[in-house]
Amino acid sequence: MIPRLGPDLRLQPLYLDFIKALRASPFRGEIQLALGDRVVNATDNSVYEVIPQAVVHPRDQDDVVTFCQLISQPSFRAVRFSARGGGTGTNGQSLCDGVILDVSRHMNQIVHIDPEARTVIVEPGVVLDQLNNALRPYGLFFAPNLAPSNRATLGGMINTDACGKGSRIYGRTSEHLISLTTVLLGGTAWTSQALDEPTQAEIC
């Protein structure tokens, strides 16, 4: 059975103003306002349905920085948004009645593989199967084994700390991360990584 859509699917003035400002900014990605595009992004792997006001597809980190700088301005503080990868979450994590920031279309590159160090640098829209196919010639794989591995993105897996079959042996996503570059609200790109175990002297 197809859920009935709400009677008023018009774009709200605040979001129209935000999209106008985004188009006037250095943002180079795609912006979708058509009802069909919004309906496609109204569902994920959960039972929920939430119609967004717009869907944007950043091309790179600079686009995400531009988006976060703009949305943090006082006039747009009420704009709601959610990042989206493969939409494989079962609790509606990628759904939003505001703006969907979809990183899967363009930010899906495997930047570097170092088989000696057994490390890889990826963009958030890289799909798990895509990564493991690239690692297979080196006899390596990314440990978390998810059922929707042909759709789940690394960004989403990090966000939910995904695990799955074999996680009791190989560990969950968070146990295989070395560092993360995160764009904060306001547009600051912040790189975090695990700290060394503090010594007793440092604790004191």
Side-chain angles (χ1 to χ4, degrees), residues 1 5 13 15 18 28 36 41 53 56 60 67 72 96 102 119 130 152 156 159-160 170-172 179 185 194 201:
M1 180 179 296
L5 298 178
Y15 289 90
F18 175 75
R28 300 179 299 108
N41 287 274
Q53 290 284 305
V56 300
D60 51 27
F67 180 92
S72 66
C96 176
D102 185 346
T119 61
Q130 172 192 354
N159 187 51
T160 59
Y170 297 111
R172 52 199 309 130
S179 68
L185 192 63

Side-chain angles (χ1 to χ4, degrees), residues 71-185:
I71 211 166
S72 66
Q73 294 182 6
S75 55
F76 298 127
R77 286 287 175 85
V79 171
R80 294 181 292 275
F81 74 98
S82 177
R84 181 181 177 116
T88 58
T90 57
N91 296 305
Q93 300 100 314
S94 66
L95 303 183
C96 176
D97 62 354
V99 181
I100 298 295
L101 185 70
D102 185 346
V103 299
S104 66
R105 177 169 294 184
H106 300 298
M107 298 181 67
N108 54 16
Q109 301 302 306
I110 298 173
V111 179
H112 179 68
I113 297 175
D114 185 340
E116 295 297 324
R118 296 193 298 175
T119 61
V120 60
I121 300 173
V122 300
E123 293 182 325
V126 168
V127 172
L128 178 58
D129 278 359
Q130 172 192 354
L131 175 59
N132 281 331
N133 288 338
L135 294 175
R136 188 170 294 113
Y138 304 104
L140 302 173
F141 68 98
F142 191 71
N145 184 7
L146 309 184
S149 61
N150 63 344
R151 306 182 305 282
T153 61
L154 270 292
M157 291 175 61
I158 292 168
N159 187 51
T160 59
D161 197 11
C163 49
K165 181 181 178 182
S167 62
R168 294 291 297 272
I169 298 173
Y170 297 111
R172 52 199 309 130
T173 301
S174 59
E175 297 175 83
H176 298 278
L177 300 180
I178 297 174
S179 68
L180 291 174
T181 298
T182 306
V183 179
L184 306 177
L185 192 63

